[in-house]
Amino acid sequence: MNLSLLKKIVCLSALLLAAPADPVSWSVAVAESGDGISRIVFKARIAEPWHMYDMGPYDGGPNATAFTFEPNADVTLLGGIEQLSKPVRVYDSLFAMEIGYFEKSAEFVQKVRVAPGRETTLKAVVEWMACDDESCLPPADRTFSIPLKAAAVQTAAGGASAA
């Protein structure tokens, strides 16, 4: 192997080892609200000193956090996804606009109704971009397969019945 090729391999290996792992980790949980509606809660944990952009949208700005749900005949999305966490708002001179971002953690919720008596899996993709004070990582995404079943509905007498 010639010396030039060996140097290139060593440099490339060093760059790959120095590249940070994604500083954002995700979890998802499903909670029933008792009215036949389930809440899918997405939680992002963000390692310091990184931050993740909010849902924007930012025309000509940074990549906002976005959620996409695969169509499912057994699931009705009720409204859009909501940010439960309040983002830090700042004016960004690089993009010449006000932006919002999250530090340490962020939570988002999507309300859904599952067809009565059904169990299904809803596929969701979340896309985000993480930055620190000096640089940004390329946008990343994660796909979730979320098991869902029809939520119980509270009756007027206070008991539960299947939705």
Side-chain angles (χ1 to χ4, degrees), residues 56-148:
Y58 300 115
D59 187 28
N63 289 48
T65 299
F67 293 82
T68 307
F69 295 91
E70 187 176 287
N72 182 320
D74 291 329
V75 179
T76 302
L77 301 178
L78 304 173
I81 191 133
E82 298 175 41
Q83 295 180 154
L84 295 179
S85 303
K86 183 176 180 179
V88 174
R89 304 289 304 171
V90 296
Y91 180 81
D92 187 303
S93 57
L94 176 66
F95 295 115
M97 66 176 65
E98 185 176 285
I99 60 168
Y101 63 87
F102 301 105
E103 297 176 312
K104 298 182 183 176
S105 66
E107 289 190 14
F108 307 85
V109 67
Q110 174 66 57
K111 294 178 183 175
V112 298
R113 185 180 319 268
V114 178
R118 301 298 301 212
E119 291 188 26
T120 189
T121 300
L122 179 64
K123 293 194 184 237
V125 177
V126 60
E127 299 176 56
W128 70 93
M129 189 164 94
C131 299
D132 64 13
D133 290 338
E134 297 176 5
S135 63
C136 292
L137 297 175
D141 62 67
R142 176 153 178 217
T143 301
F144 292 93
S145 292
I146 307 160
L148 296 170

